[in-house]
Amino acid sequence: MRNKSIEATIQDAASPETRLARALGPLQLTLMGIGVTIGAGIFVLTGTAAANYAGPSIALSYTIGAVATALVALCYMEFASTVPVAGSAYTFAYVSLGELVAWLIGWDLILDMTMGASAVASGWSQYVTDFLATFGIHIPASVSGPDAAVNIPAVLVILVLTAILASGVRTTSRINTVMTMVKLAAIVIFLVIGVTHVDAANWSPFIPASQPVGGDGDMWEQPLLGWAGLGADATFGMAGILTGGAIVFGAYSGFDIMASNAEEAKRPQRTLPIALLSTVAVCAVLYVAVALTVTGMQHYSELDNAAPITGALKAAGADWAVRIVGIGAICGLTTVVMIMLLGQSRVFLAMSRDRLLPEWFSHVHPVTRSPRRITWTLGLMVAFMTAVLPIGDLAELGNIGMLTSFIVVCVGVVYLRRSRPDLPRGFRTPWVPAVPAVAVLLCLLLVGNLPLITWARFLGWMAAGLLIYLCWGRRHSKVATGELAAGGTPGTAEDHDMAGGRGASSRGASSAP
């Protein structure tokens, strides 16, 4: 199996031309995690998933997602504290399961974050349109919102955020902190107002009766498990709760992106576990609370739009609060797009460092320490996707990519425990292999409840990635060219400190003996 050692991975991250700055402490990283996690799930997908899949029981979908997320996060914490460099699941797969799996997961993560950022940007556009409408400024539906021919506001915000990311992680962190605080304040205001307008009749039935998928008999809209005869071919009911869980699971993707920024964390062995656990706990509570409130304010069948929160406030007659919550929603969705763009650039950076993608992309600006070439390339690609694809397709494609990467990370933890039991670990996942196994089963259950059309698109994307690997990466990677022996090279005690928790400084490191 062609793989790369942890020591060699850390050594590569210390290269002066590609090294990132360690500038994020526990608070900054936690706020970054909350900033990217609290956004689309609350402000966009809560309504569409409730209306189309689960009804008021969307709160149960979020709960299932939280349990699966917590288990997967425990696996991520072990990897991120052991290999504190950019790349997230891609890097973890390379040091455990080999180059081919790493490439496919890296390609998969690009899909996940690209589609996720595009989906949130589409929702952002709708919130901006609704917010401006409260001042009498009306943007034509043909150029704004999820049904626009070309979603111009969404494209513009992606380009602006790309420019901010290119200026460096410190600037990004400061902007994220301010916007996240505004977002959390808006959510609290919504909950305070919302609970006074809840009508318990809207929760009845809490779990709507099961209905066949696609009354027109479209097999492509069936969940994979239902199509295969392994699950219910239905929406609502228990099948709807599981499908809703698969759809909204992307709302918990923040910890994955935090792991992508491990190389920019101060003292990553301590910072990352604290930030990951804090993010999952805070976000799970807020998601369930908002899901219960919004479905209590308005019947779930009326929530199928890209701005369900402000829509529920309007329906309740709380027009005065629409602007306040609208500002928070706009800030919230802005941080999600920004951090997703940040995360995908770090995955791309790791892949180009290994020369599985052209090494030209791995150049880091000497002043800002940001990978500008990657940032602008991916920013333009996301802008294009946002302009041409609908929000539902974007969200589902992002989720299937993320769930796949989670499965690989959980398997990788078990494999690395067996292959390198004495490796210094800043955090150890408890109850291995039980925790990774349960996490894998939950992820498989959720991914199996995504529509067949989503699977077809995903497999097409992965087939294209495999072709690129066979034509380029397989022959040009550092391992393939002999610049790095399979399994890696030994290094210095300084890198052992970085891997084991004693030397995570901004100067980088070499590698462990």
Side-chain angles (χ1 to χ4, degrees), residues 213-234:
V213 170
D216 58 357
D218 186 359
M219 63 168 283
W220 293 106
E221 296 303 322
Q222 299 178 29
L224 176 67
L225 291 179
W227 174 79
L230 301 175
D233 178 16

Side-chain angles (χ1 to χ4, degrees), residues 70-80 409-410 413 427 429 435-436 439:
L71 295 175
V72 174
L74 290 172
C75 298
Y76 264 82
M77 282 189 278
E78 176 164 328
F79 261 128
V409 169
C410 293
V413 165
F427 176 90
T429 303
V435 166

Side-chain angles (χ1 to χ4, degrees), residues 130 134 178 224 329 348 408 495:
D130 290 350
T134 65
V178 173
L224 176 67
F348 209 100
V408 169
D495 271 335

Side-chain angles (χ1 to χ4, degrees), residues 66-279:
V67 172
T69 298
L71 295 175
V72 174
L74 290 172
C75 298
Y76 264 82
M77 282 189 278
E78 176 164 328
F79 261 128
S81 64
T82 306
V83 196
V85 300
S88 185
Y90 160 78
T91 298
F92 305 157
Y94 212 154
V95 301
S96 58
L97 302 178
E99 183 176 276
L100 177 58
V101 175
W103 163 263
L104 291 175
I105 290 303
W107 187 248
D108 166 60
L109 284 172
I110 293 173
L111 172 71
D112 166 25
M113 297 180 190
T114 298
M115 296 297 101
S118 298
V120 179
S122 295
W124 180 93
S125 177
Q126 184 64 57
Y127 270 96
V128 169
T129 300
D130 290 350
F131 180 73
L132 293 177
T134 65
F135 294 94
I137 302 173
H138 299 282
I139 302 178
S142 60
V143 296
S144 179
D147 298 322
V150 177
N151 199 336
I152 292 178
V155 171
L156 290 177
V157 74
I158 289 170
L159 296 178
V160 170
L161 293 177
T162 299
I164 292 173
L165 292 171
S167 67
V169 72
R170 288 184 176 86
T171 300
T172 302
S173 177
R174 294 188 189 106
I175 293 174
N176 173 76
T177 297
V178 173
M179 289 191 172
T180 298
M181 292 300 185
V182 173
K183 167 171 55 178
L184 292 176
I187 292 173
V188 171
I189 291 172
F190 168 74
L191 291 173
V192 170
I193 296 171
V195 295
T196 64
H197 290 86
V198 166
D199 182 356
N202 289 327
W203 288 334
S204 182
F206 188 75
I207 302 178
S210 179
Q211 300 176 14
V213 170
D216 58 357
D218 186 359
M219 63 168 283
W220 293 106
E221 296 303 322
Q222 299 178 29
L224 176 67
L225 291 179
W227 174 79
L230 301 175
D233 178 16
T235 57
F236 301 108
M238 184 52 65
I241 292 174
L242 293 174
T243 302
I247 298 298
V248 304
F249 193 73
Y252 291 102
S253 65
F255 73 88
D256 174 73
I257 296 174
M258 292 164 68
S260 296
N261 294 109
E263 191 174 324
E264 292 158 287
K266 301 174 183 176
R267 298 180 61 194
Q269 292 75 20
R270 173 180 176 272
T271 298
L272 285 165
I274 291 174
L276 285 165
L277 283 177
S278 300
T279 297

Side-chain angles (χ1 to χ4, degrees), residues 149-434:
V150 177
N151 199 336
I152 292 178
V155 171
L156 290 177
V157 74
I158 289 170
L159 296 178
V160 170
L161 293 177
T162 299
I164 292 173
L165 292 171
S167 67
V169 72
R170 288 184 176 86
T171 300
T172 302
S173 177
R174 294 188 189 106
I175 293 174
N176 173 76
T177 297
V178 173
M179 289 191 172
T180 298
M181 292 300 185
V182 173
K183 167 171 55 178
L184 292 176
I187 292 173
V188 171
I189 291 172
F190 168 74
L191 291 173
V192 170
I193 296 171
V195 295
T196 64
H197 290 86
V198 166
D199 182 356
N202 289 327
W203 288 334
S204 182
F206 188 75
I207 302 178
S210 179
Q211 300 176 14
V213 170
D216 58 357
D218 186 359
M219 63 168 283
W220 293 106
E221 296 303 322
Q222 299 178 29
L224 176 67
L225 291 179
W227 174 79
L230 301 175
D233 178 16
T235 57
F236 301 108
M238 184 52 65
I241 292 174
L242 293 174
T243 302
I247 298 298
V248 304
F249 193 73
Y252 291 102
S253 65
F255 73 88
D256 174 73
I257 296 174
M258 292 164 68
S260 296
N261 294 109
E263 191 174 324
E264 292 158 287
K266 301 174 183 176
R267 298 180 61 194
Q269 292 75 20
R270 173 180 176 272
T271 298
L272 285 165
I274 291 174
L276 285 165
L277 283 177
S278 300
T279 297
V280 173
V282 170
C283 295
V285 171
L286 290 177
Y287 278 137
V288 173
V290 170
L292 289 171
T293 302
V294 73
T295 54
M297 293 175 67
Q298 194 172 13
H299 193 268
Y300 69 86
S301 62
E302 300 174 356
L303 294 174
D304 190 11
N305 59 77
I309 302 301
T310 53
L313 288 171
K314 289 179 183 178
D319 293 334
W320 64 271
V322 171
R323 291 179 183 176
I324 297 175
V325 176
I327 292 174
I330 291 169
C331 288
L333 296 177
T334 301
T335 61
V336 174
V337 177
M338 182 170 65
I339 306 304
M340 279 192 166
L341 292 172
L342 177 69
Q344 71 168 359
S345 68
R346 273 43 181 179
V347 173
F348 209 100
L349 172 67
M351 296 174 75
S352 61
R353 276 176 179 167
D354 295 328
R355 211 173 294 150
L356 288 171
L357 290 170
E359 194 173 21
W360 180 84
F361 288 110
S362 66
H363 178 267
V364 173
H365 193 275
V367 176
T368 65
R369 306 310 304 173
S370 64
R372 290 188 173 182
R373 295 172 181 174
I374 294 172
T375 300
W376 278 108
T377 299
L378 294 176
L380 292 172
M381 182 169 67
V382 172
F384 174 76
M385 295 290 185
T386 305
V388 301
L389 294 178
I391 187 171
D393 294 343
L394 293 169
E396 290 174 5
L397 272 171
N399 288 350
I400 194 172
M402 180 183 58
L403 285 162
T404 303
S405 68
F406 288 175
I407 292 169
V408 169
V409 169
C410 293
V411 172
V413 165
V414 177
Y415 180 86
L416 206 59
R417 283 286 187 95
R418 295 175 181 271
S419 63
R420 297 199 61 179
D422 299 326
L423 182 72
R425 291 167 169 86
F427 176 90
R428 294 180 69 88
T429 303
W431 304 304
V432 173

